[in-house]
Amino acid sequence: MSHTHRLAVTAYILRSGKFLLLKRNTPPLIWGLPGGRMKPDENPNDGLLREIMEETGLTVEVIAPVDIWYGNFGKGIFVSIDYLAVYKSGEVALSEEHSDYRWSSIESLRNDDPPLEKEYPFFNLTDFEKAWSLYKRFFPT
């Protein structure tokens, strides 16, 4: 059977009101989210938890989808489900895929710290604003 595109998942992980961002080691060398490609027939929620554990060592609770996008990320056509998740436990232990990490508030991201990509299909401020809005609906202060 021929497949039309690959499935990927990512997570906007929040801890104490701050997003976890990871700096990629390979092109594109961007600040982004933990996540990746699904294994054949893998449940997206299970795959997301696996990817987060592999890339960060963290345990999270998946809350809800934030967005679904379709496009060419430079490695073929992908459909990606981007989820909102909240930190449960663990200390960040980066995989070899990433060189650095940062917990950033929405205010820091609005001030371009760290600098986010401005162009689709990479994560930009609008994407984080959407995740932040959903977070505030689930966890009002």
Side-chain angles (χ1 to χ4, degrees), residues 93-104:
L94 293 177
S95 72
E96 60 188 37
E97 296 176 54
H98 300 96
S99 61
D100 200 3
Y101 74 94
R102 189 179 293 190
W103 292 98
S104 293

Side-chain angles (χ1 to χ4, degrees), residues 6-129:
R6 296 176 178 166
L7 179 63
V9 290
T10 61
Y12 293 92
I13 299 172
L14 280 140
R15 178 183 186 181
S16 302
K18 294 184 177 182
F19 290 99
L20 176 63
L21 287 94
L22 306 178
K23 180 71 171 185
R24 290 175 49 94
N25 267 341
T26 58
L29 302 173
I30 61 170
W31 286 97
L33 305 176
R37 290 175 267 184
M38 297 292 82
K39 294 180 178 180
D41 301 320
E42 186 174 32
N43 175 299
N45 285 359
D46 295 340
L48 181 63
L49 294 174
R50 175 186 54 76
E51 284 285 342
I52 291 168
M53 181 56 72
E54 289 175 3
E55 293 184 2
T56 70
L58 299 179
T59 301
V60 303
E61 178 183 352
V62 177
I63 303 300
V66 174
D67 200 7
I68 298 173
W69 60 267
Y70 166 87
N72 189 336
F73 187 61
K75 298 178 181 178
I77 302 296
F78 281 88
V79 171
S80 182
I81 306 169
D82 302 337
Y83 289 89
L84 175 65
V86 292
Y87 167 86
K88 297 303 273 182
S89 65
E91 295 298 323
V92 175
L94 293 177
S95 72
E96 60 188 37
E97 296 176 54
H98 300 96
S99 61
D100 200 3
Y101 74 94
R102 189 179 293 190
W103 292 98
S104 293
S105 68
I106 193 68
E107 291 80 18
S108 293
L109 294 171
R110 288 174 181 150
N111 289 316
D112 209 28
D113 180 29
L116 299 174
E117 297 301 309
K118 309 291 188 254
E119 301 295 324
Y120 176 85
F122 305 111
F123 300 104
N124 58 51
L125 181 58
T126 303
D127 301 319
F128 284 90
E129 294 278 9

